[in-house]
Amino acid sequence: MIVFAAAASLLAGAPELPRLPEIRRDPQVTYVDRSGAMLGVRGGRYGPPVDLAKLPPHVPAAFIAIEDRRFYEHTGFDPVGIGRAIIAGVSEGRATQGASTITQQLARNLFLTSDRTVERKAMELLYAVQLERTYSKRQILALYLSRVYFGGGAYGLEAASQRYFNKPAARLTIQEAATLAGVLKSPTNYNPAEQPQRAAQRAALVLNAMVEIGAITPAQRAKASARPLKVAPSASSASAQYFVDWLDGQRRQLVGQPKQDVVVETTLDLGLESVAAATTSSVLARHQAQQVSQAALVAVDGQGRVRAMVGGVDYAKGPFNRAVTAKRQAGSAWKPFVYLAALEAGRVPDMPVVDEPLTIGTWSPRNYNEGYLGPITLQVALAQSINTVAARLADEVGRPNVAAAAHRVGIVSTINTDPAMALGTTLVSPLEMAQAYATFSNGGYRVSAYGIERIRTTGGTVLYQRKAAAPQPVVANPPLSDLNLMLRTVIVSGTGTRAAIPGYDLAGKTGTTSDYKDAWFAGYTGGFTTVVWMGRDDGAPMGRVTGGGAPAELWRSFMSVALKRVPKQPIPVGPPAAAPLPPPPIADPIDALVPPAADTPEPPVEDPPIG
């Protein structure tokens, strides 16, 4: 009786309803990976308003069945439900059941906060009553479904339907509608993309409730339960957001501010991205005692398509993208450009050189290990990353020629040409290093790393389509094949042995800068390149972290998985010497399923050989 008395009082004293807050809906930009899996959303928060007339009856019925089965009977609040909740709470000694109607939930979403106070609950009831006086039941239900949160960044039924099932709400099946209705109790715990088992169990409860209110038959329930639920995958970690942020500015340059919802189809492979993020975290955890606090990883294919990008270890703590924006000294990962210029000037891998004390002007380079090897070959000098030989080579062939070679294959940053340049004092990003090394992996063709394939409206109108550029040969033979031979030796018997993966044709180079401030491993197989950087944002030294250590370990861990999704192929030998260059023989390699310094900087040092 107390409940019903309260109801009568509310009906008599409901306040004037505030003006409905407008839904300011800017167009949404949805980013998807190469297989259509959602990576992230930028722009508008809400989906389009819900039109009940366009929904099949089972869609609103699913929400009414599980959230408010007496929706069409009550006047804003449900005295029966309130009484049931009170009795259950007394019996259990705590609140075990909710009693908020759809109208109450809408009132809370529109006008109030989620604070659990008596005052807030009282205002919720009052506003619910007034909503019922002002709007029809269908208007209230449509308002509710247009604004409620479904998790995964989806506000409103239409956004949720597109987010989880890649379809408009008008095409939702019984099972899909039950799944979305089940999400509302806890968008985190019942998110079908992140918690499929829990979501399925909750959806079963919704289907049972739909049978109980007569919205569907037991036979329809059985048929819906037996059908596999196909949920659009989502980024399982925030790592992909570094990639999305990188593309968002490019998208604005390409198509401007959209006037309707658009989808950006990207090159990223979400499976590889997840592996890259997970392996980065695990490797850094193992080397925490060495004061490694940040890492970046970029993987590109032979055409420059970015397949994975890790811009840091925790996007939530800061979106600064170290893979794209950070410029750090490359260390000896720069030396392939020195040797390329030397090979193009007529040197050969077995050419004899001498590791001995050297002074260029007032600068004397030193090796990582004390002492000198004496007479060796160019191939051994690169494999063991001998600094004196690299510095002498750059001086002999001309440092401007080294800079020109680096620019030709993909380095876009300003390159200094002081003597220490040969040892990697130029500041570069992991992305441009990956772009440059990709030239060695694909037969000598310059690529531009990119991430956007196509931009279209949700209705299918194409706003932008990337056009394949004509192959641009920038390295010929024999320098290309000689350089690849030498970089293979780095992994076989040089400073990069920790990166070796049996059964694959691999090449690469380690890099470590002075005082262990930066550590790199850049490596590739036929048509696929990955570059890893490790360091600290404050530029402080790490604890003796070298490129042949933790970065090579991370590179190997990631590539061990990535190579299983790449058609196995050797590193292309490139064109015959003095012959026309054919198009690069690199197929789409991923399985669809699955500023110069004012003063001469202190030169980097290099990793010791690791057996």
Side-chain angles (χ1 to χ4, degrees):
M1 294 298 295
I2 295 176
V3 172
F4 288 99
S9 174
L10 284 170
L11 288 170
E16 182 179 350
L17 195 68
R19 180 179 178 179
L20 285 180
E22 294 183 4
I23 294 181
R24 186 178 181 275
R25 188 182 183 277
D26 296 324
Q28 285 186 337
V29 181
T30 300
Y31 290 84
V32 299
D33 89 330
R34 65 192 309 270
S35 299
M38 180 177 171
L39 299 174
V41 177
R42 298 293 184 268
R45 178 179 181 184
Y46 293 92
V50 170
D51 185 350
L52 287 182
K54 294 182 179 180
L55 298 179
H58 61 258
V59 175
F63 293 87
I64 291 171
I66 197 65
E67 290 292 322
D68 187 3
R69 62 177 59 189
R70 279 177 287 278
F71 172 71
Y72 286 108
E73 302 167 15
H74 63 66
T75 56
F77 63 98
D78 183 6
V80 175
I82 293 175
R84 183 184 68 245
I86 292 174
I87 294 172
V90 171
S91 175
E92 297 291 334
R94 60 185 176 87
T96 59
Q97 296 184 15
S100 294
T101 64
I102 283 176
T103 314
Q104 286 175 254
Q105 294 178 52
L106 177 61
R108 182 167 65 246
N109 289 340
L110 289 174
F111 309 121
L112 302 168
T113 69
S114 297
D115 296 340
R116 293 180 175 272
T117 64
V118 174
E119 293 79 5
R120 196 274 295 162
K121 190 67 177 180
M123 290 303 296
E124 176 186 298
L125 291 170
L126 294 171
Y127 284 139
V129 170
Q130 195 60 284
L131 278 170
E132 293 275 352
R133 289 179 171 181
T134 307
Y135 300 100
S136 70
K137 289 287 187 179
R138 289 178 63 81
Q139 287 175 316
I140 289 171
L141 184 58
L143 282 170
Y144 172 77
L145 293 177
S146 296
R147 295 173 182 254
V148 72
Y149 183 54
F150 287 87
Y155 288 81
L157 181 63
E158 286 294 342
S161 184
Q162 291 289 350
R163 163 64 191 85
Y164 295 116
F165 303 114
N166 285 330
K167 62 170 67 175
R171 291 171 47 202
L172 287 170
T173 66
I174 292 175
Q175 183 193 33
E176 292 166 346
T179 300
L180 291 182
V183 169
L184 299 187
K185 181 177 176 66
S186 175
T188 299
N189 291 329
Y190 300 115
N191 183 313
E194 306 293 344
Q195 301 287 346
Q197 186 171 357
R198 288 183 177 181
Q201 293 170 346
R202 180 69 179 167
L205 294 178
V206 177
L207 290 171
N208 291 339
M210 293 175 73
V211 172
E212 291 170 5
I213 69 170
I216 60 173
T217 66
Q220 288 176 306
R221 174 183 58 190
K223 184 177 180 180
S225 299
R227 181 173 299 172
L229 186 68
K230 296 181 179 180
V231 179
S234 66
S236 58
S237 75
S239 174
Q241 301 315 304
Y242 291 111
F243 177 75
V244 173
D245 284 351
W246 175 53
L247 296 186
D248 207 39
Q250 299 177 36
R251 184 266 308 167
R252 292 188 182 95
Q253 292 178 345
L254 291 172
V255 299
Q257 182 60 35
K259 295 180 173 56
Q260 54 185 308
D261 291 350
V262 300
V263 176
V264 180
E265 299 174 0
T266 78
T267 62
L268 201 76
D269 184 297
L270 184 54
L272 285 183
E273 177 67 23
S274 299
V275 170
T279 53
T280 298
S281 295
S282 63
V283 171
L284 286 190
R286 290 197 294 272
H287 293 272
Q288 192 172 26
Q290 292 179 276
Q291 293 84 52
V292 188
S293 63
Q294 280 297 344
L297 181 152
V298 180
V300 301
D301 68 18
Q303 283 73 44
R305 292 180 282 240
V306 175
R307 298 307 196 190
M309 176 183 285
V310 177
V313 297
D314 193 337
Y315 180 86
K317 290 183 178 180
F320 179 67
N321 191 339
R322 296 152 191 86
V324 174
T325 308
K327 295 293 185 75
R328 307 292 291 242
Q329 288 189 357
S332 289
W334 181 266
K335 287 178 182 173
F337 312 133
V338 175
Y339 280 79
L340 175 60
L343 292 167
E344 291 179 331
R347 274 66 168 181
V348 293
D350 59 358
M351 174 182 174
V353 291
V354 181
D355 175 22
E356 61 185 353
L358 173 69
T359 298
I360 301 174
T362 60
W363 174 64
S364 298
R366 60 186 177 88
N367 294 324
Y368 183 89
N369 293 316
E370 295 296 331
Y372 302 92
L373 298 181
I376 53 175
T377 64
L378 275 186
Q379 186 167 340
V380 171
L382 181 56
Q384 303 301 331
S385 204
I386 304 302
N387 287 341
T388 59
V389 174
R392 189 189 300 275
L393 275 176
D395 192 54
E396 290 174 351
V397 303
R399 288 181 292 277
N401 291 326
V402 174
H407 280 315
R408 187 175 2 115
V409 299
I411 297 299
V412 295
S413 293
T414 301
I415 300 174
N416 68 75
T417 56
D418 56 63
M421 173 265 265
L423 308 188
T425 56
T426 293
L427 304 178
V428 292
S429 71
L431 180 65
E432 64 184 306
M433 287 292 279
Q435 178 174 275
Y437 272 70
T439 300
F440 308 147
S441 81
N442 68 9
Y445 293 84
R446 165 71 182 264
V447 301
S448 294
Y450 71 97
I452 297 177
E453 293 282 13
R454 187 168 72 149
I455 303 175
R456 58 175 172 82
T457 68
T458 53
T461 301
V462 177
L463 304 178
Y464 166 80
Q465 176 72 59
R466 182 178 177 87
K467 296 180 180 179
Q472 182 184 357
V474 293
V475 183
N477 271 326
L480 176 63
S481 58
D482 286 347
L483 182 62
N484 284 332
L485 170 67
M486 298 164 75
L487 292 176
R488 286 187 183 100
T489 309
V490 172
I491 293 180
V492 172
S493 60
T495 59
T497 55
R498 283 188 182 175
I501 303 173
Y504 289 93
D505 186 12
L506 305 174
K509 187 67 187 76
T510 55
T512 311
T513 63
S514 299
D515 298 325
Y516 305 98
K517 293 180 180 179
D518 304 275
W520 298 74
F521 191 86
Y524 54 95
T525 187
F528 194 80
T529 300
T530 298
V531 170
V532 171
W533 166 87
M534 289 185 182
R536 296 171 58 92
D537 286 340
D538 59 8
M542 297 177 288
R544 298 186 66 85
V545 176
T546 66
E553 181 183 334
L554 173 53
W555 189 90
R556 185 185 187 281
S557 297
F558 170 73
M559 289 291 280
S560 293
V561 177
L563 290 173
K564 296 175 183 177
R565 298 164 65 93
V566 177
K568 188 175 181 180
Q569 58 182 321
I571 299 168
V573 296
L581 294 171
I586 307 297
D588 186 2
I590 303 290
D591 181 359
L593 298 177
V594 226
D599 300 313
T600 300
E602 184 179 358
V605 296
E606 186 47 77
D607 322 285
I610 298 173

